[in-house]
Amino acid sequence: MSPAVPAVTDPLERAAWSWVAHLLAGGTTAWAAWVESPESVAHDVRRPVGLDALPGAAQLELLRVLVEAAGAPLEESLALRVLRRPAPGRGPVDLPLGWPGEGQVTADGFHHRSAPPTDPGSLDVEEVLRVAAGVIADLLLEEPAAPRRRTRAVPTRLPRPRTGPSVWVEGPPRSRAAVRAELAAGGTRLHRPRLRWRGGRTLPDRVLVVVPPLERGLLEVWEDRSVAGAARRWERWVQEIQGSNRLPPSLRSRSVALWWAERIGADRVQVTVRHGVDAAGDLSALEVDVLRRVNAVLVLHRGGDDRAAIAARLGERLQGLGRSIGVPGPAELRVPVAQLRWLQAWSARITDGLTRAGYPVDGDLASLRPRPPAEGDVHSLDPREVLALMTALLLPGRAARRDPR
């Protein structure tokens, strides 16, 4: 028989523990409203079984948001996981509750923890997102590893190889994959590098260098690296590229075209301008942001291939999630304002260089010039929309379809 849990006597703790019980029972009242209600001063308040210490403000606010989205009490295991999860990353591990409207002091006027007492309703959403990312990462890490794919047996009758000139496609991930799929569907023989008998690799008959607008290409590379396990925020990642003054390899169109021209001839290198449309398997910028936030936690627990496999699995679950819950995010995510001139300079350098080189061009290189800033441009993602997607991940099939704003 387990020992009885002692009753809580401190007024602040009594109100806090009664609010915890309210949330665990499926309540959604905010902390500021709860402390004004008669239930907050109820007698005989005890700690719920499974909680040894009062959860932090961010953990409690995340639980309230999840209960509100679910419209019902959460499963006990998930609710306790949320309340026990320390916030990962840089920042306070937890933020203790304080009386609303009384600043940074507790009921008796003293600080009891390293972080100041906080009203969950006034929290920066980023603090709640840190806890949510930690919970999602924990759930992913507990899933059994996917079985290794077995090598398929070689069929007795091999398919008839395609004839005609072989084509190799260069460019950023989404655009390159889309062009390859279109060529294959049209019967074009895609080049597969093979070792020659006397050494070296076979060269393609023709090379297509796919060039999307630079801003779109940056988004494609950001998504591709996030799916592989990277955790860089969009704005920070673009700033780092500007600081290095070197574009990602798949976006160095001039260098890529020149490299192939020196090997197979400039007349067999074609530049293809592609503005492109997102395919069904692509992630929205909002979904990529969820992925990279979880990656920031996974990097502390898994390395290399294991982390990439978990990130790819999460990416599959995120595909189309924003649209399904009515939170698709911005139609176009632009580079930060401080990097717009840098973007324009690099775009001009690419288009001018390809034009002077004289490669055959399919499309209008001048159309790749970035448009000037306009009112309504989105340069960073709304953390409230990110929280809506994380909520949907934690409550599959139960998250409400509502505008988080």
Side-chain angles (χ1 to χ4, degrees):
M1 184 174 179
S2 58
V5 179
V8 178
T9 58
D10 177 80
L12 177 60
E13 287 197 29
R14 180 183 297 168
W17 281 116
S18 65
W19 190 47
V20 172
H22 168 74
L23 297 177
L24 291 173
T28 59
T29 305
W31 170 244
W34 178 257
V35 296
E36 299 293 335
S37 66
E39 293 89 345
S40 67
V41 294
H43 295 285
D44 196 28
V45 176
R46 298 178 183 274
R47 295 195 303 267
V49 176
L51 292 176
D52 298 327
L54 187 63
Q59 287 83 350
L60 289 165
E61 181 62 13
L62 175 59
L63 176 60
R64 193 192 68 79
V65 169
L66 290 171
V67 172
E68 191 173 53
L74 298 189
E75 293 182 5
E76 183 181 8
S77 59
L78 176 58
L80 291 177
R81 182 187 293 274
V82 170
L83 294 179
R84 292 170 176 168
R85 211 319 166 176
R90 295 183 178 180
V93 175
D94 60 11
L95 291 162
L97 291 174
W99 293 115
E102 293 195 6
Q104 304 298 314
V105 295
T106 57
D108 56 4
F110 294 95
H111 293 298
H112 296 292
R113 309 189 190 189
S114 59
T118 307
D119 176 4
S122 64
L123 269 178
D124 186 342
V125 181
E126 291 290 340
E127 295 299 329
V128 182
L129 288 171
R130 288 173 58 212
V131 179
V135 174
I136 294 172
D138 290 345
L139 292 170
L140 289 169
L141 290 168
E142 290 178 4
E143 293 179 359
R148 294 184 178 180
R149 296 180 180 178
R150 295 182 179 179
T151 305
R152 292 185 300 176
V154 178
T156 53
R157 293 185 62 184
L158 293 174
R160 184 177 179 181
R162 294 182 177 182
T163 58
S166 63
V167 178
W168 180 257
V169 183
E170 295 275 8
R174 284 190 194 178
S175 300
R176 181 179 66 240
V179 170
R180 285 179 60 87
E182 291 170 3
L183 291 174
T188 300
R189 184 164 67 96
L190 298 177
H191 178 69
R192 295 176 182 240
R194 292 184 175 86
L195 291 175
R196 290 194 183 97
W197 177 255
R198 295 182 179 273
R201 288 186 178 274
T202 58
L203 294 174
D205 299 309
R206 192 160 60 98
V207 171
L208 294 184
V209 181
V210 183
V211 187
L214 182 55
E215 206 162 23
R216 176 185 169 85
L218 288 169
L219 278 167
E220 292 184 21
V221 176
W222 180 57
E223 175 192 340
D224 190 61
R225 294 188 179 185
S226 296
V227 172
R232 278 289 187 268
R233 185 165 51 96
W234 165 247
E235 301 94 309
R236 177 71 180 274
W237 184 69
V238 176
Q239 289 167 5
E240 290 177 351
I241 293 177
Q242 181 195 24
S244 68
N245 203 30
R246 287 178 62 83
L247 294 176
S250 62
L251 299 180
R252 301 173 195 167
S253 307
R254 295 182 307 162
S255 301
V256 169
L258 178 61
W259 191 90
W260 282 110
E262 292 174 346
R263 285 156 179 79
I264 64 173
D267 58 327
R268 293 159 67 186
V269 175
Q270 178 178 317
V271 175
T272 300
V273 176
R274 184 182 181 89
H275 292 273
V277 178
D278 291 343
D282 296 333
L283 299 176
S284 69
L286 205 62
E287 291 160 352
V288 177
D289 195 67
V290 173
L291 180 58
R292 68 95 188 163
R293 287 173 185 269
V294 177
N295 286 340
V297 186
L298 294 177
V299 74
L300 303 174
H301 302 275
R302 294 288 189 273
D305 295 340
D306 288 344
R307 185 173 75 254
I310 296 174
R313 191 163 71 238
L314 177 58
E316 293 175 359
R317 296 177 189 177
L318 282 166
Q319 288 177 8
L321 180 62
R323 290 189 180 90
S324 69
I325 66 170
V327 189
E332 180 183 9
L333 181 62
R334 304 211 64 189
V335 303
V337 177
Q339 278 73 49
L340 283 176
R341 291 185 63 183
W342 166 84
L343 178 78
Q344 293 167 346
W346 259 109
S347 296
R349 200 179 304 176
I350 291 172
T351 54
D352 292 348
L354 292 174
T355 301
R356 287 196 303 269
Y359 303 114
V361 178
D362 180 13
D364 182 11
L365 284 173
S367 67
L368 296 176
R369 305 271 182 168
R371 64 174 178 81
E375 185 178 355
D377 282 350
V378 178
H379 302 274
S380 60
L381 298 168
D382 188 339
R384 294 168 296 180
E385 294 184 338
V386 179
L387 179 58
L389 261 66
M390 287 188 168
T391 299
L393 277 174
L394 291 169
L395 303 171
R398 298 179 67 186
R401 297 190 181 192
R402 58 184 176 87
D403 187 340
R405 293 168 290 186

